[in-house]
Amino acid sequence: MQNPFEENIGPVRPTFLTILCVLTFLWNAYKFYGAIPSVFTPEKVAASKEQANEMMMDMMSKYLSDKDLEEVEKSQEETNKLFTEKNLVTTGIISIISSVLLILGGIWMWGLRKKGFYVYIAGNALGILAPVFIMGGMIGWSIGIASFINAALFTGLYALHLKYFS
């Protein structure tokens, strides 16, 4: 047992860095867990997406005109082309790899190791570029831009703590 009156000899992790790491662990564990069905049961994921689309159309049919419903149906058809089983498996695998890199980077930054910051950047780059290249179109770009905003925010906040890393 350590004497509570002794000074800490090792480097101390700042509280805000601890909070960032915990948020990184939680979000990427959720992302990892969410990608597993896309990899191992893409047909069920595609079927549940189709069922959700049908439920949405039933609900919207009560409130929209026939012309507006046709536009929504066209939009849904375009979206369904992107969510093929092949795309679901590919994006699921890349999401798992990205999550693992981000968690690994977070673990190393938790231990105040600078290489964790660079692994974290690599995981973010993968998460930003993959949707753009795999899905393309408006959906791929919107996911990529949202990922970029999140990655830029967190990477910037981690960069503020680089002076603590060795």
Side-chain angles (χ1 to χ4, degrees), residues 21-146:
C21 289
V22 169
L23 289 173
T24 296
F25 299 147
L26 292 174
W27 172 249
N28 287 291
Y30 173 75
K31 193 169 99 171
F32 180 90
Y33 178 74
I36 291 172
S38 293
V39 174
F40 296 106
T41 57
E43 64 283 346
K44 288 183 180 178
V45 173
S48 68
K49 168 107 174 73
E50 185 62 35
Q51 182 182 12
N53 287 346
E54 290 173 9
M55 289 172 52
M56 184 186 74
M57 291 304 292
D58 287 344
M59 182 183 70
M60 292 181 121
S61 66
K62 298 174 187 174
Y63 304 105
L64 298 177
S65 67
D66 290 339
K67 181 182 175 188
D68 291 337
L69 278 175
E70 288 176 16
E71 291 296 319
V72 172
E73 285 178 357
K74 286 180 187 176
S75 174
Q76 288 299 325
E77 288 172 9
E78 291 297 317
T79 303
N80 288 340
K81 291 177 186 175
L82 296 175
F83 288 95
T84 63
E85 290 183 23
K86 179 185 174 203
N87 279 357
L88 286 171
V89 170
T90 306
T91 56
I93 289 170
I94 290 175
S95 184
I96 287 173
I97 293 169
S98 173
S99 296
V100 167
L101 287 173
L102 291 165
I103 290 170
L104 182 61
I107 289 170
W108 282 335
M109 286 188 285
W110 179 274
L112 301 176
R113 297 174 71 190
K114 192 177 278 189
K115 71 178 176 181
F117 180 72
Y118 300 112
V119 171
Y120 184 82
I121 290 173
N124 275 323
L126 186 61
I128 292 167
L129 297 175
V132 173
F133 288 112
I134 294 170
M135 293 183 177
M138 187 60 118
I139 291 178
W141 278 99
S142 62
I143 293 171
I145 290 169

